[in-house]
Amino acid sequence: MSPVGNENRVLSGLVEIGRGLATVMSHFGREPVTLEYPEVMPDLSTRFHGRLCLLTKSDSTDLCIGCKACARVCPCDDLIQIEMHRDENKKPVIDRFTIDIGRCIFCGNCTEVCPVDCIKMLSDFELADYSREALVLDKFDLNLPGEASDQWRVEHGLEKTVK
Amino acid sequence: MSDIQGITIERDIQSEDMVVNIGPQHPSTHGVLRLVTTLNGEVVKNMEPVVGYLHRSKEKMGENRTFFQYQPMIDRVEYLSAFYDHYVYCTALETLAGLDIPKRVQYIRMITMELNRISSHLLWFGTFLLDLGATSPFFYAFRDREKILKLFEDISGARMMYNYYRIGGLNADIPDGWIEDVRRVINELPKRFAEYEAIVNKNPIVMDRCIGIGIINTEDCLKYGVTGPALRACGVAQDLRKTNPYCSYDEVDFDVPTSTDGDVYARYQVRIQEMYESLRIVHQALDNLPGGEPADIRKLQAEYDAVATEIKEAKKRVIVAQKQETEPEPADVKKMEEEPPELDKDWRIQGKKKVNMVSFKPPVGECMSLVESPRGFLGCYLISDGSPKALRIKWRGASYSNLSILPSMMIGNLYPDLMAVFGSLDVILPEVDR
Amino acid sequence: MSEEKQSESKEAAKDDLPPVIEPGVYGELLEKKKFKVQHLGMDAMGVEMIEVAAESLLRVAEYLRDNKKCQFDLLVSVSGVDMVDYRLSVVHLYSLSSNESLCIKVRADEKEAVPSLMPIWPAVDWHERETYDLMGIIYEGHPDLRRILMPTDWIGHPLRKDYVENDPRLVWNRR
């Protein structure tokens, strides 16, 4: 091999290294594509299909009227279980409202049919738990306090207070 | 051994064939597919795809759920382009019930479907090159796919299981600012695609492994019912969007990319070109979206509502005046006779009469709706007996037919080409097994 | 007695409403060629539907594939339909040259048998296997008719309306 050829090869090699470095440097200042998840939470849309919750009235009393529309349209059998009775004023009282969140497929069908805008979805997606039983959420877990419910309604363009 | 699940393998005296059982848990099979492959050295002598590991009885589920209950299940038939499944299902029911779909709904459906095609092809691009051994394109493709998925999350609330289309319309209108977001993403994507093409198109390894491998022609495609990009790569410009226009595809201008080689590389090029065409469709659909920004529609609706309430109140005043036997104000009488203005029917996101999802009952009849999904013909054969549950729902997935051609493509070819050939078919196993 | 009356009244109702179904393009074409075809009109999408007797299916299919006016070269799908009294094998065809679709229905006989379309469209291979697997329609002449989606040792055909899953091996299914 002639020395001239070697020089050319060295030169072209250097040029290639320079080009490679230029590519690397061009990416130096740009914003990262990934998120450092547990520290930085993702920016989710208001329509996000997350954990189900029950909104309450502004004074933290039940908004649900026990019509069972959500249970009827749920694609998973017996996922939402509701037991209710009516008190002396014919007002509905919810005795039991459980959602097996471990079997929920987060489709959002129930939120669409609710006549009083009670069952809704939060943007909460960290739902892991230690046992299967703990994933069955009852009314206590599902009810959102009055203030938080109002805030939810404001964020989603509904009327703020419900009496 | 000479018998594996009924497949008899010939015995050679000189050399013994080796049976390699690929899958069901294999990273390159894009799901759970088992390929019982008989090898003579490096040459594939026989191949038998064994499917059904992902069978979730989606068709039976459709028979014992109401139409609205079944809708979230459709997402899971083919999860990489679920908007197509929803479209095909909703169209079947809408045609059965004879519903008119507003233009705005059709355009939003078109935008989301084409974005879905891009996201599906991007995932295919990444995984296909990952099968060939290149890891970087996978990350690039996923980076860009993520932007499209974010758009879907904004509009439907979920990244893959959308559940957004409804019979006769949509779940909700597009959110504010979504149009700008889409424009930003689709203006950025052509640069990315050019980047992909720059690193892949003339790459000697890709060319060596793709050109002249897995060649099929039109006759083979018809023999196995192969449709979609695999058929177009054989030179047939068959695209249901062009030949049997549905939705509003007859109002937008786009080309059907084809190639004549019929090999793996041709299929790769057809898909890349399709992504550019999809971008063209999205651009046009955004420009011509009836109604435009949702905020404008809301403003107009509020104005119309105000006028309608004025008319209503005038009517009330006239009635009160008539009861009191006094002369009503002439302005009120004049106002009463006015027709309340209505929003352009093309601007709605539901038909004029909203379909009651819970008790929706289509009339007795049957219907086969076909669309061009990213993988080929996607069909839903729906028979209704007039009850709120379907008598029969049959899914015709493109991957099912496309996968059946694999053995004939592989027999007599080299084993290392298997993953390139299989990857180029873009088979999604949930759609095969349903 | 009452049953007889009911059946009589049903028949009378049928007589009152004779099915007025105009033959479609392909139905007429087939009828001209002396094929026995029952016209079923159009489906909601405007696809012509015809019913063909099992014995003439193969000849009709060959005609539909090879005739210049039809050229149905792409087989879209084969679906089994359980109509409770009888079972149907429904074939959907598509023509790449004319972009038309056609739907052929074949009624399975009492042995659940239907001639296989393998000689005409080899693409039916997996589709017929699937229909056999899920609906139990036996395709006579199919070279390799075995289960494809369900496990090979599955009992029964799940898409039938009278299917009851009572396999004692599937204990995990009952909780």
Side-chain angles (χ1 to χ4, degrees):
Chain A
M1 197 159 286
S2 69
V4 183
N6 263 345
E7 273 170 23
N8 270 350
R9 279 171 66 189
V10 167
L11 203 68
S12 69
L14 283 176
V15 169
E16 287 305 312
I17 289 171
R19 269 181 54 190
L21 275 176
T23 313
V24 172
M25 293 311 278
S26 73
H27 286 275
F28 197 65
R30 72 169 165 77
E31 282 196 7
V33 182
T34 49
L35 272 181
E36 292 184 20
Y37 156 59
E39 287 84 33
V40 185
M41 292 302 271
D43 176 28
L44 299 169
S45 86
T46 49
R47 294 181 183 177
F48 187 74
H49 287 187
R51 181 171 78 83
L52 287 166
C53 70
L54 296 175
L55 299 188
T56 53
K57 293 177 189 169
S58 300
D59 54 355
S60 295
T61 50
D62 285 352
L63 184 60
C64 178
I65 53 169
C67 66
K68 297 184 187 173
C70 43
R72 264 206 303 283
V73 297
C74 183
C76 317
D77 305 326
D78 305 332
L79 185 103
I80 303 176
Q81 291 179 3
I82 307 169
E83 278 169 27
M84 54 93 72
H85 70 272
R86 287 183 186 277
D87 63 4
E88 56 272 17
N89 302 327
K90 294 277 174 97
K91 285 245 173 88
V93 179
I94 311 296
D95 304 320
R96 191 166 145 265
F97 195 116
T98 58
I99 295 178
D100 187 351
I101 215 83
R103 291 200 292 127
C104 179
I105 63 169
F106 304 98
C107 62
N109 270 4
C110 46
T111 63
E112 206 177 317
V113 295
C114 187
V116 289
D117 287 335
C118 174
I119 185 161
K120 289 288 161 194
M121 277 174 159
L122 301 171
S123 55
D124 184 6
F125 57 91
E126 293 159 320
L127 302 167
D129 218 316
Y130 288 101
S131 73
R132 221 175 282 174
E133 287 72 36
L135 287 168
V136 182
L137 305 181
D138 60 9
K139 209 176 85 178
F140 180 76
D141 303 320
L142 289 166
N143 266 355
L144 213 59
E147 274 176 39
S149 300
D150 284 349
Q151 202 192 339
W152 194 98
R153 283 190 279 262
V154 169
E155 277 171 14
H156 293 75
L158 295 174
E159 264 181 55
K160 194 191 163 192
T161 48
V162 179
K163 277 167 192 166
Chain B
M1 290 291 105
S2 63
D3 198 274
I4 293 172
Q5 281 227 343
I7 309 152
T8 326
I9 293 144
E10 292 166 43
R11 231 172 175 178
D12 199 347
I13 302 166
Q14 272 112 27
S15 66
E16 213 161 283
D17 290 340
M18 184 164 69
V19 177
V20 178
N21 190 29
I22 306 166
Q25 310 281 346
H26 190 277
S28 283
T29 54
H30 302 256
V32 273
L33 168 71
R34 181 170 154 223
L35 296 167
V36 183
T37 317
T38 318
L39 297 179
N40 185 1
E42 285 273 289
V43 180
V44 176
K45 222 174 156 189
N46 194 6
M47 175 180 278
E48 169 75 24
V50 181
V51 298
Y53 290 95
L54 222 52
H55 181 59
R56 294 145 298 161
S57 57
K58 283 280 178 276
E59 289 172 4
K60 188 81 179 172
M61 277 177 176
E63 288 173 17
N64 44 35
R65 276 171 176 75
T66 63
F67 289 108
F68 187 42
Q69 269 183 315
Y70 184 50
Q71 216 160 355
M73 299 289 169
I74 308 165
D75 291 319
R76 277 90 181 156
V77 174
E78 199 216 318
Y79 50 71
L80 289 182
S81 50
F83 275 129
Y84 286 89
D85 297 64
H86 273 290
Y87 181 79
V88 89
Y89 177 74
C90 289
T91 327
L93 286 171
E94 282 155 7
T95 357
L96 271 180
L99 297 171
D100 277 343
I101 310 304
K103 269 270 168 292
R104 185 177 172 82
V105 172
Q106 292 190 8
Y107 270 73
I108 294 174
R109 283 182 180 182
M110 208 156 67
I111 294 166
T112 45
M113 277 198 286
E114 287 311 313
L115 286 173
N116 211 173
R117 185 185 301 272
I118 298 170
S119 77
S120 171
H121 280 350
L122 276 175
L123 184 127
W124 167 81
F125 172 83
T127 50
F128 170 63
L129 286 158
L130 192 68
D131 290 346
L132 293 185
T135 39
S136 318
F138 182 72
F139 296 114
Y140 295 154
F142 265 62
R143 174 191 62 191
D144 294 339
R145 181 170 171 267
E146 195 67 19
K147 286 175 188 141
I148 299 176
L149 292 192
K150 178 68 186 150
L151 293 175
F152 291 154
E153 190 200 300
D154 287 345
I155 192 170
S156 70
R159 289 152 49 87
M160 279 164 90
M161 312 297 170
Y162 311 114
N163 195 16
Y164 180 60
Y165 299 167
R166 289 287 178 275
I167 301 152
L170 299 171
N171 181 7
D173 203 351
I174 51 175
D176 293 329
W178 193 73
I179 294 176
E180 276 97 86
D181 289 346
V182 177
R183 277 190 205 283
R184 209 179 52 241
V185 170
I186 60 175
N187 286 332
E188 199 181 320
L189 283 177
K191 286 179 232 154
R192 304 289 195 201
F193 296 164
E195 220 172 74
Y196 301 158
E197 288 195 274
I199 48 174
V200 176
N201 274 9
K202 298 275 180 231
N203 188 314
I205 301 173
V206 172
M207 285 165 87
D208 273 0
R209 293 203 59 184
C210 293
I211 292 176
I213 306 292
I215 299 176
I216 47 173
N217 53 24
T218 318
E219 281 74 51
D220 293 334
C221 286
L222 292 175
K223 194 177 162 194
Y224 288 94
V226 174
T227 47
L231 179 62
R232 289 195 280 277
C234 303
V236 186
Q238 165 56 45
D239 192 324
L240 285 173
R241 292 176 294 171
K242 249 327 188 227
T243 56
N244 305 48
Y246 51 91
C247 208
S248 290
Y249 278 106
D250 45 351
E251 292 167 21
V252 289
D253 178 37
F254 65 99
D255 296 329
V256 179
T258 53
S259 174
T260 44
D261 301 345
D263 58 359
V264 174
Y265 197 69
R267 291 193 277 280
Y268 159 77
Q269 278 184 322
V270 165
R271 286 208 178 87
I272 293 280
Q273 293 307 318
E274 263 181 27
M275 294 205 281
Y276 284 111
E277 295 302 324
S278 291
L279 285 180
R280 265 177 76 189
I281 297 174
V282 176
H283 269 295
Q284 292 171 48
L286 281 178
D287 290 342
N288 304 329
L289 180 64
E293 285 285 347
D296 298 343
I297 295 182
R298 277 205 305 273
K299 211 172 135 194
L300 205 64
Q301 180 75 59
E303 279 172 23
Y304 288 170
D305 285 349
V307 176
T309 35
E310 266 177 34
I311 293 173
K312 234 183 212 171
E313 278 171 7
K315 253 183 205 171
K316 258 186 206 166
R317 279 201 294 275
V318 169
I319 291 168
V320 169
Q322 276 169 352
K323 268 186 189 166
Q324 291 168 348
E325 293 178 1
T326 53
E327 195 70 15
E329 277 182 44
D332 280 352
V333 177
K334 207 177 169 193
K335 188 113 209 167
M336 202 178 85
E337 281 159 8
E338 274 178 32
E339 277 286 310
E342 269 189 16
L343 205 64
D344 193 338
K345 70 177 193 326
D346 283 347
W347 291 13
R348 295 170 187 278
I349 54 148
Q350 283 280 352
K352 193 164 182 192
K353 196 168 161 256
K354 197 183 172 196
V355 177
N356 187 346
M357 287 296 161
V358 184
S359 61
F360 177 73
K361 282 182 201 168
V364 182
E366 60 179 84
C367 176
M368 174 81 173
S369 67
L370 273 177
V371 297
E372 185 75 34
S373 87
R375 279 155 258 285
F377 283 22
L378 175 69
C380 176
Y381 179 49
L382 199 142
I383 305 180
S384 154
D385 56 352
S387 67
K389 293 172 185 175
L391 182 76
R392 174 88 165 91
I393 292 179
K394 152 93 184 175
W395 289 98
R396 192 269 180 207
S399 304
Y400 193 66
S401 295
N402 289 6
L403 179 62
S404 65
I405 201 174
L406 185 66
S408 81
M409 283 164 99
M410 279 320 295
I411 289 172
N413 286 331
L414 288 178
Y415 176 66
D417 292 336
L418 169 63
M419 282 313 153
V421 173
F422 178 61
S424 75
L425 286 174
D426 192 14
V427 171
I428 293 298
L429 265 296
E431 197 190 12
V432 174
D433 299 340
R434 294 183 294 282
Chain C
M1 277 298 279
S2 62
E3 278 178 15
E4 275 179 26
K5 266 185 189 173
Q6 267 181 7
S7 66
E8 268 176 26
S9 67
K10 265 185 188 172
E11 275 170 19
K14 270 182 190 170
D15 288 340
D16 288 344
L17 294 165
V20 198
I21 296 166
E22 298 272 317
V25 185
Y26 301 109
E28 212 168 351
L29 208 62
L30 286 169
E31 224 161 46
K32 266 187 198 163
K33 292 281 167 194
K34 303 263 171 11
F35 287 115
K36 259 194 187 173
V37 176
Q38 198 187 336
H39 309 291
L40 299 173
M42 303 279 175
D43 79 355
M45 282 277 177
V47 175
E48 192 184 335
M49 301 185 291
I50 51 173
E51 188 171 328
V52 180
E55 58 267 18
S56 62
L57 175 67
L58 279 177
R59 280 181 294 125
V60 168
E62 200 173 357
Y63 179 80
L64 285 173
R65 186 193 60 180
D66 295 337
N67 188 278
K68 283 241 167 65
K69 286 177 187 158
C70 311
Q71 283 193 332
F72 286 106
D73 38 13
L74 182 67
L75 183 125
V76 176
S77 76
V78 177
S79 356
V81 183
D82 192 351
M83 307 297 278
V84 184
D85 305 332
Y86 56 93
R87 292 186 182 86
L88 283 173
S89 166
V90 185
V91 184
H92 281 93
L93 302 171
Y94 186 84
S95 165
L96 287 187
S97 45
S98 68
N99 304 321
E100 291 283 331
S101 300
L102 180 69
C103 165
I104 309 176
K105 294 187 177 183
V106 194
R107 204 179 276 220
D109 58 15
E110 54 276 7
K111 282 183 218 148
E112 307 286 348
V114 162
S116 168
L117 285 170
M118 273 297 268
I120 316 292
W121 293 286
V124 294
D125 183 1
W126 280 22
H127 292 278
E128 286 187 346
R129 272 176 73 186
E130 184 200 331
T131 312
Y132 160 73
D133 185 0
L134 300 178
M135 194 60 82
I137 297 174
I138 295 158
Y139 288 91
E140 282 172 344
H142 191 288
D144 187 23
L145 198 67
R146 55 199 164 87
R147 288 185 183 275
I148 182 163
L149 292 181
M150 306 302 286
T152 42
D153 54 352
W154 192 265
I155 300 169
H157 301 284
L159 268 184
R160 287 187 178 183
K161 292 282 175 197
D162 54 1
Y163 172 75
V164 191
E165 187 261 290
N166 51 6
D167 193 339
R169 295 167 299 173
L170 300 177
V171 277
W172 47 269
N173 224 358
R174 284 178 274 279
R175 344 175 235 180

